Coordinates of all heavy atoms in Angstrom, one line a residue:
M16 N -5.0 23.8 -129.1 CA -5.5 25.2 -129.2 C -6.9 25.1 -129.8 O -7.2 24.3 -130.7 CB -4.5 26.0 -130.0 CG -5.0 27.5 -130.2 SD -3.9 28.5 -131.1 CE -2.5 28.5 -130.0
K17 N -7.7 26.0 -129.4 CA -9.1 26.1 -129.8 C -9.4 27.5 -130.2 O -8.9 28.5 -129.7 CB -10.1 25.7 -128.7 CG -9.8 24.3 -128.0 CD -10.2 23.2 -129.0 CE -10.1 21.9 -128.2 NZ -10.3 20.8 -129.1
M18 N -10.4 27.6 -131.1 CA -11.0 29.0 -131.4 C -12.3 29.0 -130.8 O -13.2 28.1 -131.1 CB -11.0 29.2 -132.9 CG -11.7 30.6 -133.2 SD -11.7 31.0 -135.0 CE -10.2 31.7 -135.1
L19 N -12.5 30.0 -130.0 CA -13.8 30.2 -129.3 C -14.6 31.3 -130.1 O -14.0 32.4 -130.2 CB -13.6 30.5 -127.9 CG -14.9 30.9 -127.1 CD1 -15.8 29.7 -126.9 CD2 -14.6 31.5 -125.8
I20 N -15.7 31.1 -130.5 CA -16.6 32.0 -131.2 C -17.9 32.1 -130.3 O -18.5 31.1 -130.0 CB -16.9 31.6 -132.6 CG1 -15.6 31.4 -133.4 CG2 -17.8 32.7 -133.2 CD1 -15.9 30.8 -134.7
A21 N -18.2 33.3 -130.0 CA -19.4 33.5 -129.2 C -20.2 34.7 -129.7 O -19.6 35.7 -130.2 CB -19.1 33.8 -127.7
T22 N -21.6 34.6 -129.7 CA -22.4 35.6 -130.1 C -23.5 35.8 -129.0 O -23.9 34.9 -128.3 CB -23.2 35.4 -131.5 OG1 -23.9 34.2 -131.3 CG2 -22.1 35.2 -132.6
T23 N -23.9 37.0 -128.9 CA -25.0 37.4 -127.9 C -25.6 38.7 -128.2 O -25.0 39.5 -129.0 CB -24.4 37.4 -126.5 OG1 -25.5 37.5 -125.5 CG2 -23.4 38.5 -126.3
V24 N -26.7 39.0 -127.6 CA -27.3 40.3 -127.7 C -26.5 41.2 -126.8 O -25.9 40.8 -125.9 CB -28.8 40.3 -127.3 CG1 -29.6 39.5 -128.4 CG2 -29.0 39.8 -126.0
A25 N -26.6 42.5 -127.1 CA -25.7 43.5 -126.4 C -25.9 43.4 -124.9 O -24.9 43.7 -124.1 CB -26.0 44.9 -126.9
E26 N -27.1 43.1 -124.4 CA -27.3 43.0 -122.9 C -26.4 42.0 -122.2 O -26.3 42.1 -121.0 CB -28.8 42.7 -122.6 CG -29.8 43.8 -123.0 CD -30.1 43.7 -124.5 OE1 -29.9 42.7 -125.2 OE2 -30.6 44.8 -125.1
Y27 N -25.9 41.0 -122.9 CA -25.1 40.0 -122.2 C -23.6 40.2 -122.5 O -22.8 39.3 -122.1 CB -25.6 38.6 -122.7 CG -26.8 38.2 -122.1 CD1 -28.1 38.3 -122.8 CD2 -26.9 37.7 -120.8 CE1 -29.2 37.9 -122.3 CE2 -28.1 37.3 -120.3 CZ -29.3 37.4 -121.0 OH -30.5 37.0 -120.5
R28 N -23.3 41.3 -123.1 CA -21.8 41.6 -123.3 C -21.0 41.5 -122.1 O -20.0 40.8 -122.1 CB -21.7 43.0 -123.9 CG -20.2 43.4 -124.0 CD -20.1 44.9 -124.4 NE -20.1 44.9 -125.9 CZ -20.4 46.0 -126.6 NH1 -20.8 47.1 -126.1 NH2 -20.3 45.9 -127.9
E29 N -21.4 42.1 -121.0 CA -20.7 42.1 -119.7 C -20.5 40.7 -119.2 O -19.5 40.4 -118.6 CB -21.2 43.1 -118.8 CG -21.0 44.6 -119.2 CD -21.6 45.5 -118.2 OE1 -22.0 45.1 -117.1 OE2 -21.7 46.7 -118.5
K30 N -21.6 40.0 -119.3 CA -21.6 38.6 -118.7 C -20.5 37.8 -119.5 O -19.7 37.0 -118.8 CB -22.9 37.9 -118.8 CG -23.0 36.6 -118.2 CD -22.9 36.8 -116.6 CE -23.4 35.6 -115.9 NZ -23.1 35.6 -114.5
L31 N -20.5 37.9 -120.8 CA -19.5 37.1 -121.5 C -18.0 37.6 -121.3 O -17.1 36.9 -121.1 CB -19.8 37.2 -123.0 CG -19.0 36.3 -123.9 CD1 -19.2 34.8 -123.4 CD2 -19.6 36.4 -125.4
Q32 N -17.9 39.0 -121.1 CA -16.6 39.5 -120.7 C -16.1 39.0 -119.4 O -15.0 38.8 -119.2 CB -16.6 41.0 -120.8 CG -16.8 41.6 -122.2 CD -17.0 43.1 -122.2 OE1 -17.6 43.7 -121.2 NE2 -16.7 43.7 -123.3
Q33 N -17.1 38.8 -118.5 CA -16.8 38.3 -117.1 C -16.2 36.9 -117.3 O -15.3 36.5 -116.6 CB -18.0 38.3 -116.3 CG -17.8 37.6 -115.0 CD -19.2 37.5 -114.2 OE1 -20.2 38.1 -114.5 NE2 -19.2 36.6 -113.2
F34 N -16.8 36.0 -118.1 CA -16.4 34.7 -118.3 C -14.9 34.7 -118.9 O -14.1 33.9 -118.5 CB -17.3 33.9 -119.3 CG -18.7 33.6 -118.7 CD1 -19.7 33.5 -119.6 CD2 -18.8 33.3 -117.4 CE1 -21.0 33.1 -119.2 CE2 -20.1 33.1 -116.9 CZ -21.2 32.9 -117.8
F35 N -14.7 35.6 -119.8 CA -13.3 35.7 -120.3 C -12.3 36.1 -119.2 O -11.2 35.5 -119.2 CB -13.2 36.7 -121.5 CG -13.9 36.3 -122.7 CD1 -14.0 37.1 -123.8 CD2 -14.3 35.0 -122.9 CE1 -14.6 36.7 -125.0 CE2 -14.9 34.5 -124.1 CZ -15.0 35.5 -125.2
S36 N -12.7 37.0 -118.4 CA -11.8 37.5 -117.3 C -11.5 36.4 -116.3 O -10.4 36.2 -115.9 CB -12.4 38.7 -116.6 OG -12.5 39.8 -117.4
E37 N -12.5 35.6 -116.0 CA -12.4 34.5 -115.1 C -11.4 33.4 -115.6 O -10.8 32.7 -114.8 CB -13.8 33.8 -114.8 CG -14.7 34.7 -113.9 CD -16.1 34.1 -113.9 OE1 -16.4 33.2 -114.5 OE2 -16.9 34.8 -113.1
Q38 N -11.3 33.3 -116.9 CA -10.4 32.3 -117.5 C -9.0 33.0 -118.0 O -8.2 32.3 -118.7 CB -11.1 31.6 -118.7 CG -12.3 30.8 -118.3 CD -11.9 29.8 -117.3 OE1 -10.9 29.1 -117.4 NE2 -12.7 29.7 -116.2
D39 N -8.8 34.1 -117.4 CA -7.5 34.9 -117.8 C -7.3 35.0 -119.3 O -6.1 34.9 -119.8 CB -6.4 34.2 -117.1 CG -6.4 34.3 -115.7 OD1 -6.9 35.3 -115.1 OD2 -6.0 33.3 -115.0
I40 N -8.3 35.3 -120.0 CA -8.2 35.5 -121.4 C -7.9 37.0 -121.7 O -8.8 37.8 -121.4 CB -9.5 35.0 -122.2 CG1 -9.6 33.5 -122.1 CG2 -9.4 35.5 -123.7 CD1 -10.9 33.0 -122.7
A41 N -6.7 37.3 -121.9 CA -6.3 38.7 -121.9 C -6.6 39.4 -123.3 O -6.7 40.6 -123.3 CB -4.8 38.8 -121.7
F42 N -6.8 38.7 -124.4 CA -7.0 39.2 -125.7 C -8.1 38.5 -126.4 O -8.2 37.3 -126.4 CB -5.7 39.1 -126.6 CG -5.9 39.7 -127.9 CD1 -5.8 41.0 -128.1 CD2 -6.3 38.9 -129.0 CE1 -6.1 41.6 -129.4 CE2 -6.5 39.3 -130.2 CZ -6.4 40.7 -130.5
Y43 N -9.1 39.3 -126.9 CA -10.1 38.7 -127.7 C -10.6 39.8 -128.7 O -10.4 40.9 -128.5 CB -11.2 38.1 -126.9 CG -11.8 39.1 -125.9 CD1 -12.9 39.9 -126.3 CD2 -11.5 39.2 -124.6 CE1 -13.5 40.9 -125.5 CE2 -12.0 40.1 -123.8 CZ -13.1 40.9 -124.2 OH -13.6 41.8 -123.3
N44 N -11.3 39.4 -129.8 CA -11.8 40.3 -130.7 C -13.3 40.4 -130.5 O -14.0 39.5 -130.2 CB -11.5 39.8 -132.1 CG -10.1 39.8 -132.5 OD1 -9.5 40.9 -132.7 ND2 -9.5 38.6 -132.5
E45 N -13.8 41.7 -130.6 CA -15.2 41.9 -130.4 C -15.7 42.8 -131.5 O -15.0 43.8 -131.8 CB -15.4 42.6 -129.0 CG -16.8 43.0 -128.7 CD -16.9 43.8 -127.4 OE1 -16.2 43.4 -126.4 OE2 -17.7 44.7 -127.4
F46 N -16.9 42.4 -132.0 CA -17.4 43.3 -133.1 C -18.9 43.2 -133.0 O -19.5 42.2 -132.6 CB -16.8 43.1 -134.5 CG -16.8 41.6 -134.8 CD1 -17.9 41.1 -135.7 CD2 -15.9 40.7 -134.4 CE1 -18.0 39.8 -136.0 CE2 -15.9 39.4 -134.7 CZ -16.9 38.9 -135.5
E47 N -19.6 44.3 -133.5 CA -21.0 44.4 -133.6 C -21.5 43.6 -134.9 O -20.9 43.7 -136.0 CB -21.5 45.8 -133.7 CG -21.2 46.5 -132.4 CD -21.7 47.9 -132.4 OE1 -22.4 48.3 -133.3 OE2 -21.4 48.6 -131.4
V48 N -22.6 42.9 -134.7 CA -23.1 42.1 -135.9 C -24.6 42.4 -135.9 O -25.3 42.4 -134.9 CB -22.9 40.6 -135.5 CG1 -23.5 39.8 -136.7 CG2 -21.4 40.2 -135.4
R49 N -25.0 42.6 -137.1 CA -26.5 42.8 -137.4 C -27.0 41.5 -137.9 O -26.7 41.0 -139.0 CB -26.7 43.9 -138.4 CG -28.2 44.2 -138.6 CD -28.4 45.3 -139.5 NE -29.8 45.4 -139.8 CZ -30.3 45.4 -141.0 NH1 -29.5 45.2 -142.1 NH2 -31.6 45.5 -141.3
G50 N -27.9 40.8 -137.0 CA -28.5 39.5 -137.4 C -29.9 39.8 -137.9 O -30.5 40.8 -137.7
I51 N -30.4 38.8 -138.6 CA -31.8 38.8 -139.1 C -32.5 37.6 -138.6 O -32.0 36.5 -138.7 CB -31.8 38.8 -140.6 CG1 -31.1 40.0 -141.2 CG2 -33.2 38.7 -141.2 CD1 -31.7 41.4 -141.0
D52 N -33.6 37.8 -138.0 CA -34.5 36.7 -137.5 C -35.7 36.6 -138.5 O -36.5 37.4 -138.5 CB -35.0 37.0 -136.1 CG -35.8 35.8 -135.6 OD1 -35.8 34.7 -136.2 OD2 -36.5 36.0 -134.5
K53 N -35.6 35.5 -139.3 CA -36.6 35.4 -140.3 C -37.8 34.7 -139.6 O -37.7 33.6 -139.0 CB -36.2 34.4 -141.5 CG -35.1 35.1 -142.3 CD -35.6 35.3 -143.7 CE -34.5 35.8 -144.5 NZ -35.1 36.4 -145.7
N54 N -39.0 35.3 -139.7 CA -40.2 34.8 -139.2 C -40.6 33.5 -140.1 O -40.6 33.6 -141.3 CB -41.3 35.9 -139.3 CG -42.5 35.5 -138.6 OD1 -42.8 34.3 -138.2 ND2 -43.4 36.5 -138.3
H55 N -40.9 32.4 -139.4 CA -41.2 31.2 -140.1 C -42.7 31.0 -140.4 O -43.1 29.9 -140.7 CB -40.6 30.0 -139.3 CG -39.1 30.1 -139.2 ND1 -38.3 29.9 -140.2 CD2 -38.4 30.3 -138.2 CE1 -37.1 30.0 -139.9 NE2 -37.1 30.3 -138.6
T56 N -43.5 32.0 -140.3 CA -44.9 31.9 -140.6 C -45.1 32.1 -142.1 O -44.3 32.6 -142.8 CB -45.7 33.0 -139.9 OG1 -45.3 34.3 -140.2 CG2 -45.6 32.7 -138.3
K57 N -46.2 31.7 -142.6 CA -46.5 31.8 -144.0 C -46.6 33.2 -144.4 O -47.0 34.1 -143.6 CB -48.0 31.2 -144.3 CG -48.0 29.8 -144.8 CD -49.4 29.4 -145.1 CE -49.5 28.6 -146.4 NZ -50.8 28.2 -146.6
S58 N -46.1 33.5 -145.6 CA -46.1 34.9 -146.1 C -47.5 35.3 -146.3 O -48.4 34.6 -146.7 CB -45.3 34.9 -147.5 OG -45.3 36.2 -147.9
H59 N -47.8 36.6 -146.1 CA -49.1 37.2 -146.2 C -48.9 38.6 -146.9 O -47.9 39.2 -146.7 CB -49.8 37.3 -144.9 CG -51.2 37.8 -145.0 ND1 -51.6 39.1 -145.1 CD2 -52.4 37.1 -145.1 CE1 -52.9 39.2 -145.2 NE2 -53.4 38.0 -145.2
R60 N -49.8 39.1 -147.6 CA -49.6 40.4 -148.3 C -49.4 41.5 -147.3 O -48.9 42.5 -147.7 CB -50.8 40.7 -149.2 CG -52.1 41.0 -148.5 CD -53.2 41.3 -149.5 NE -54.4 41.8 -148.8 CZ -55.5 41.0 -148.8 NH1 -55.5 39.9 -149.5 NH2 -56.5 41.4 -148.1
V61 N -49.9 41.4 -146.1 CA -49.6 42.4 -145.1 C -48.1 42.6 -144.8 O -47.6 43.7 -144.5 CB -50.3 42.0 -143.7 CG1 -49.9 42.9 -142.6 CG2 -51.9 42.1 -144.0
N62 N -47.4 41.5 -145.0 CA -45.9 41.6 -144.9 C -45.3 42.6 -145.8 O -44.2 43.1 -145.5 CB -45.2 40.2 -145.1 CG -45.6 39.2 -143.9 OD1 -45.9 39.7 -142.8 ND2 -45.4 38.0 -144.2
N63 N -45.9 42.9 -146.9 CA -45.3 43.9 -147.7 C -45.3 45.3 -147.0 O -44.4 46.1 -147.3 CB -46.2 44.0 -149.0 CG -46.0 42.8 -149.9 OD1 -45.0 42.2 -149.8 ND2 -47.1 42.6 -150.7
W64 N -46.2 45.5 -146.1 CA -46.2 46.8 -145.4 C -45.4 46.7 -144.1 O -45.0 47.8 -143.6 CB -47.6 47.1 -145.0 CG -48.5 47.5 -146.2 CD1 -49.3 46.6 -146.9 CD2 -48.5 48.7 -146.9 NE1 -49.9 47.3 -148.0 CE2 -49.4 48.6 -148.0 CE3 -48.0 50.0 -146.7 CZ2 -49.7 49.7 -148.9 CZ3 -48.2 51.0 -147.5 CH2 -49.1 50.8 -148.7
F65 N -45.2 45.6 -143.6 CA -44.6 45.5 -142.3 C -43.4 44.6 -142.2 O -43.2 43.6 -141.5 CB -45.6 44.9 -141.2 CG -46.8 45.8 -141.0 CD1 -48.0 45.4 -141.5 CD2 -46.7 47.0 -140.3 CE1 -49.1 46.2 -141.4 CE2 -47.8 47.8 -140.2 CZ -49.0 47.4 -140.7
S66 N -42.4 44.9 -143.1 CA -41.1 44.3 -143.2 C -41.0 42.8 -143.6 O -39.9 42.3 -143.4 CB -40.3 44.6 -141.9 OG -40.6 43.7 -140.9
G67 N -42.1 42.2 -143.9 CA -42.0 40.8 -144.3 C -41.5 39.8 -143.3 O -41.1 38.8 -143.7
G68 N -41.5 40.1 -142.0 CA -41.1 39.1 -141.0 C -39.6 39.2 -140.7 O -39.1 38.4 -139.9
N69 N -38.8 40.0 -141.4 CA -37.3 40.1 -141.2 C -37.1 41.2 -140.1 O -37.4 42.3 -140.3 CB -36.6 40.5 -142.4 CG -36.6 39.5 -143.4 OD1 -36.9 38.3 -143.2 ND2 -36.5 39.9 -144.8
V70 N -36.7 40.7 -138.9 CA -36.4 41.6 -137.8 C -34.9 41.7 -137.6 O -34.3 40.8 -137.2 CB -37.1 41.0 -136.5 CG1 -36.9 41.9 -135.4 CG2 -38.6 40.8 -136.7
P71 N -34.4 42.9 -137.7 CA -32.9 43.1 -137.5 C -32.6 43.0 -136.0 O -33.4 43.6 -135.2 CB -32.6 44.5 -138.0 CG -33.9 45.2 -138.1 CD -35.0 44.1 -138.2
L72 N -31.6 42.3 -135.7 CA -31.2 42.2 -134.3 C -29.7 42.7 -134.1 O -28.8 42.3 -134.9 CB -31.2 40.7 -133.8 CG -32.6 40.0 -134.1 CD1 -32.4 38.5 -133.9 CD2 -33.6 40.5 -133.1
E73 N -29.5 43.4 -133.0 CA -28.1 43.9 -132.8 C -27.5 42.9 -131.8 O -27.9 42.7 -130.7 CB -28.2 45.3 -132.2 CG -28.9 46.3 -133.0 CD -28.2 46.5 -134.4 OE1 -27.0 46.5 -134.5 OE2 -29.0 46.6 -135.3
H74 N -26.4 42.3 -132.4 CA -25.6 41.3 -131.6 C -24.2 41.7 -131.4 O -23.7 42.6 -132.2 CB -25.6 39.9 -132.3 CG -26.9 39.2 -132.2 ND1 -28.0 39.3 -133.0 CD2 -27.2 38.2 -131.3 CE1 -29.0 38.5 -132.6 NE2 -28.5 37.9 -131.6
I75 N -23.5 41.1 -130.6 CA -22.1 41.3 -130.4 C -21.5 39.9 -130.6 O -22.0 38.9 -130.1 CB -21.7 41.7 -129.0 CG1 -22.6 43.0 -128.5 CG2 -20.2 42.0 -128.7 CD1 -22.2 44.2 -129.3
A76 N -20.3 39.9 -131.3 CA -19.7 38.6 -131.6 C -18.2 38.8 -131.0 O -17.6 39.9 -131.0 CB -19.6 38.3 -133.1
F77 N -17.7 37.7 -130.6 CA -16.4 37.6 -129.9 C -15.7 36.4 -130.6 O -16.3 35.4 -130.8 CB -16.5 37.3 -128.5 CG -17.2 38.4 -127.6 CD1 -18.5 38.4 -127.6 CD2 -16.4 39.4 -127.0 CE1 -19.2 39.3 -126.8 CE2 -17.1 40.3 -126.2 CZ -18.4 40.3 -126.1
F78 N -14.4 36.5 -130.8 CA -13.6 35.3 -131.1 C -12.2 35.5 -130.6 O -11.7 36.6 -130.4 CB -13.6 34.9 -132.6 CG -12.8 35.9 -133.5 CD1 -11.5 35.6 -133.7 CD2 -13.4 36.9 -134.1 CE1 -10.7 36.4 -134.5 CE2 -12.7 37.8 -134.9 CZ -11.4 37.5 -135.1
T79 N -11.6 34.3 -130.1 CA -10.4 34.4 -129.5 C -9.8 32.9 -129.7 O -10.5 32.0 -129.9 CB -10.4 34.9 -128.1 OG1 -9.0 35.0 -127.6 CG2 -11.2 33.9 -127.2
L80 N -8.4 32.8 -129.5 CA -7.8 31.6 -129.4 C -7.6 31.2 -127.9 O -7.1 32.1 -127.2 CB -6.5 31.6 -130.2 CG -6.7 31.7 -131.7 CD1 -5.3 31.9 -132.3 CD2 -7.4 30.7 -132.3
V81 N -7.9 30.1 -127.5 CA -7.7 29.6 -126.1 C -7.2 28.3 -126.0 O -7.2 27.5 -127.0 CB -9.1 29.6 -125.4 CG1 -9.6 31.1 -125.2 CG2 -10.1 28.8 -126.0
D82 N -6.6 27.9 -124.9 CA -6.2 26.5 -124.7 C -7.4 25.6 -124.4 O -8.5 26.1 -124.2 CB -5.1 26.4 -123.7 CG -5.5 26.7 -122.3 OD1 -6.6 26.4 -121.9 OD2 -4.7 27.3 -121.5
D83 N -7.2 24.3 -124.4 CA -8.3 23.4 -124.2 C -9.0 23.6 -122.9 O -10.2 23.5 -122.8 CB -7.7 21.9 -124.3 CG -7.2 21.6 -125.7 OD1 -7.4 22.4 -126.6 OD2 -6.7 20.5 -125.8
D84 N -8.2 23.8 -121.8 CA -8.9 24.0 -120.5 C -9.7 25.3 -120.4 O -10.9 25.2 -120.0 CB -7.8 24.0 -119.4 CG -7.2 22.6 -119.1 OD1 -7.9 21.6 -119.4 OD2 -6.1 22.6 -118.6
Q85 N -9.2 26.3 -121.1 CA -10.0 27.5 -121.0 C -11.4 27.4 -121.9 O -12.4 27.8 -121.4 CB -9.2 28.7 -121.7 CG -8.1 29.2 -120.8 CD -7.2 30.2 -121.6 OE1 -6.8 30.0 -122.7 NE2 -6.9 31.4 -120.9
A86 N -11.3 26.7 -122.9 CA -12.5 26.4 -123.8 C -13.5 25.6 -122.9 O -14.6 25.9 -122.9 CB -12.1 25.8 -125.1
K87 N -13.0 24.5 -122.4 CA -13.9 23.7 -121.6 C -14.5 24.4 -120.5 O -15.7 24.3 -120.2 CB -13.1 22.5 -121.0 CG -13.8 21.5 -120.2 CD -12.8 20.4 -119.7 CE -13.4 19.7 -118.6 NZ -12.5 18.8 -117.9
N88 N -13.7 25.3 -119.7 CA -14.2 26.0 -118.6 C -15.3 27.1 -119.0 O -16.3 27.2 -118.4 CB -13.1 26.7 -117.8 CG -12.3 25.6 -117.1 OD1 -12.7 24.5 -116.8 ND2 -11.1 26.0 -116.8
I89 N -15.0 27.7 -120.1 CA -16.0 28.7 -120.6 C -17.3 28.0 -121.0 O -18.4 28.5 -120.7 CB -15.4 29.5 -121.7 CG1 -14.5 30.6 -121.2 CG2 -16.5 30.3 -122.5 CD1 -13.8 31.5 -122.1
M90 N -17.2 27.0 -121.7 CA -18.4 26.3 -122.1 C -19.2 25.7 -120.9 O -20.4 25.8 -120.8 CB -18.1 25.0 -123.0 CG -17.5 25.5 -124.4 SD -18.5 26.7 -125.3 CE -19.7 25.5 -126.1
N91 N -18.5 25.2 -119.8 CA -19.1 24.9 -118.6 C -19.8 26.0 -117.9 O -21.0 25.9 -117.5 CB -18.2 24.2 -117.6 CG -17.7 22.8 -118.0 OD1 -18.4 22.2 -118.7 ND2 -16.6 22.4 -117.5
N92 N -19.1 27.2 -117.9 CA -19.8 28.4 -117.3 C -21.0 28.8 -118.1 O -22.0 29.2 -117.5 CB -18.7 29.5 -117.3 CG -17.7 29.4 -116.3 OD1 -17.8 28.6 -115.4 ND2 -16.6 30.2 -116.4
L93 N -20.9 28.7 -119.4 CA -22.2 29.0 -120.3 C -23.3 28.1 -120.0 O -24.5 28.5 -119.9 CB -21.8 29.1 -121.7 CG -20.9 30.2 -122.1 CD1 -20.5 30.1 -123.6 CD2 -21.7 31.5 -122.0
N94 N -23.0 26.9 -119.8 CA -24.1 25.8 -119.5 C -24.7 26.2 -118.2 O -25.9 26.1 -118.0 CB -23.5 24.4 -119.6 CG -23.3 23.9 -121.0 OD1 -24.2 24.2 -121.8 ND2 -22.3 23.1 -121.2
I95 N -23.9 26.6 -117.2 CA -24.5 26.9 -115.9 C -25.3 28.2 -116.0 O -26.4 28.3 -115.4 CB -23.4 27.1 -114.9 CG1 -22.7 25.7 -114.6 CG2 -23.8 27.8 -113.6 CD1 -21.3 25.9 -113.8
C96 N -24.8 29.1 -116.8 CA -25.5 30.4 -117.0 C -26.9 30.1 -117.6 O -27.9 30.7 -117.2 CB -24.7 31.3 -117.9 SG -25.5 32.9 -118.3
K97 N -26.9 29.2 -118.6 CA -28.2 28.9 -119.3 C -29.2 28.1 -118.3 O -30.4 28.3 -118.5 CB -28.0 28.1 -120.6 CG -27.4 28.9 -121.6 CD -27.2 28.2 -122.9 CE -26.6 29.1 -124.0 NZ -27.7 29.8 -124.6
T98 N -28.6 27.4 -117.4 CA -29.5 26.7 -116.4 C -30.0 27.7 -115.4 O -31.3 27.7 -115.1 CB -28.7 25.7 -115.6 OG1 -28.2 24.7 -116.5 CG2 -29.5 25.0 -114.6
D99 N -29.1 28.7 -115.0 CA -29.6 29.7 -114.0 C -30.5 30.8 -114.6 O -31.3 31.3 -113.9 CB -28.3 30.3 -113.3 CG -27.5 29.4 -112.5 OD1 -28.1 28.3 -112.1 OD2 -26.3 29.7 -112.2
M100 N -30.2 31.1 -115.9 CA -30.9 32.2 -116.5 C -31.5 31.6 -117.9 O -30.8 31.7 -118.8 CB -30.0 33.3 -116.8 CG -29.5 34.0 -115.5 SD -28.4 35.4 -115.7 CE -27.8 35.4 -117.3
P101 N -32.6 31.0 -117.8 CA -33.1 30.3 -119.1 C -33.2 31.2 -120.3 O -33.2 30.7 -121.4 CB -34.5 29.8 -118.7 CG -34.5 29.8 -117.2 CD -33.5 30.8 -116.7
N102 N -33.3 32.5 -120.1 CA -33.3 33.5 -121.2 C -32.0 33.9 -121.7 O -31.8 34.7 -122.6 CB -34.2 34.7 -120.9 CG -35.7 34.3 -120.7 OD1 -36.2 33.4 -121.3 ND2 -36.3 35.1 -119.8
C103 N -30.9 33.3 -121.1 CA -29.5 33.7 -121.5 C -29.4 33.5 -123.0 O -29.6 32.4 -123.5 CB -28.5 32.9 -120.7 SG -26.8 33.2 -121.1
N104 N -29.0 34.5 -123.7 CA -28.9 34.5 -125.2 C -27.4 34.3 -125.7 O -27.2 34.6 -126.8 CB -29.5 35.8 -125.7 CG -29.6 35.8 -127.2 OD1 -28.8 35.5 -127.9 ND2 -30.9 36.0 -127.6
I105 N -26.5 33.8 -124.9 CA -25.2 33.6 -125.3 C -25.1 32.3 -126.0 O -25.5 31.3 -125.5 CB -24.2 33.6 -124.1 CG1 -24.2 35.0 -123.4 CG2 -22.7 33.4 -124.7 CD1 -23.5 35.0 -122.1
K106 N -24.5 32.3 -127.3 CA -24.3 31.1 -128.0 C -22.7 31.1 -128.3 O -22.1 32.1 -128.6 CB -24.9 31.1 -129.4 CG -26.5 31.0 -129.2 CD -27.2 31.0 -130.5 CE -28.6 30.8 -130.4 NZ -29.4 31.6 -129.5
A107 N -22.1 29.9 -128.0 CA -20.7 29.7 -128.2 C -20.4 28.4 -129.0 O -21.1 27.4 -128.9 CB -20.0 29.7 -126.8
Y108 N -19.3 28.5 -129.7 CA -18.8 27.5 -130.5 C -17.2 27.3 -130.3 O -16.6 28.3 -130.2 CB -19.0 27.7 -132.0 CG -20.5 28.2 -132.2 CD1 -20.8 29.6 -132.2 CD2 -21.5 27.2 -132.4 CE1 -22.1 30.0 -132.4 CE2 -22.7 27.7 -132.7 CZ -23.1 29.0 -132.6 OH -24.4 29.5 -132.8
V109 N -16.9 26.0 -130.2 CA -15.4 25.8 -130.0 C -15.0 25.0 -131.2 O -15.5 23.9 -131.5 CB -15.1 25.0 -128.7 CG1 -13.7 24.7 -128.6 CG2 -15.5 25.9 -127.5
L110 N -13.9 25.5 -131.9 CA -13.4 24.8 -133.1 C -11.9 24.4 -132.8 O -11.2 25.2 -132.2 CB -13.4 25.7 -134.3 CG -14.8 26.4 -134.6 CD1 -14.7 27.4 -135.7 CD2 -15.8 25.3 -135.1
N111 N -11.6 23.2 -133.3 CA -10.1 22.9 -133.3 C -9.3 23.7 -134.2 O -9.7 23.9 -135.4 CB -10.0 21.4 -133.6 CG -10.4 20.5 -132.5 OD1 -10.4 20.8 -131.3 ND2 -11.0 19.4 -132.9
V112 N -8.1 24.1 -133.8 CA -7.2 24.9 -134.6 C -6.0 23.9 -134.9 O -5.3 23.5 -134.0 CB -6.7 26.1 -133.9 CG1 -5.6 26.8 -134.8 CG2 -7.8 27.1 -133.6
E113 N -6.0 23.5 -136.1 CA -5.0 22.4 -136.5 C -3.6 23.1 -136.8 O -2.6 22.4 -136.6 CB -5.5 21.7 -137.7 CG -6.7 20.9 -137.4 CD -7.2 20.1 -138.5 OE1 -6.3 19.8 -139.5 OE2 -8.3 19.7 -138.6
Q114 N -3.5 24.3 -137.2 CA -2.3 24.8 -137.6 C -2.4 26.4 -137.6 O -3.4 26.9 -137.9 CB -1.9 24.4 -139.0 CG -0.6 24.7 -139.5 CD -0.3 24.0 -140.8 OE1 -1.2 23.7 -141.6 NE2 1.0 23.7 -141.1
T115 N -1.3 27.0 -137.2 CA -1.2 28.5 -137.2 C 0.2 28.9 -137.8 O 1.1 28.0 -137.8 CB -1.3 29.1 -135.8 OG1 -0.2 28.7 -135.0 CG2 -2.6 28.7 -135.2
V116 N 0.3 30.1 -138.2 CA 1.5 30.6 -138.8 C 1.9 31.9 -138.0 O 1.1 32.6 -137.7 CB 1.3 30.9 -140.3 CG1 2.6 31.6 -140.8 CG2 1.0 29.8 -141.1

């Protein structure tokens, strides 16, 4: 068993939901996440007036438990998506689940 965690900007929500449907994942958790993108440029006094380089980003996060084949297939689909759409902003992580209660 694997835990699949995925994050994306709201525009890619339907694409990720499509991947879940294709793998017959009937249940998953979805929630809104506010991310911060820290600007890596040198600090300047102008940043005091213009938010200091911290840009809030609206993301959607998903997590679910899947079997090994579902995890493998979703990761393959995401790799294909990133090849076909270089700006694809979906990030996914697969973690081993050693024990459940």
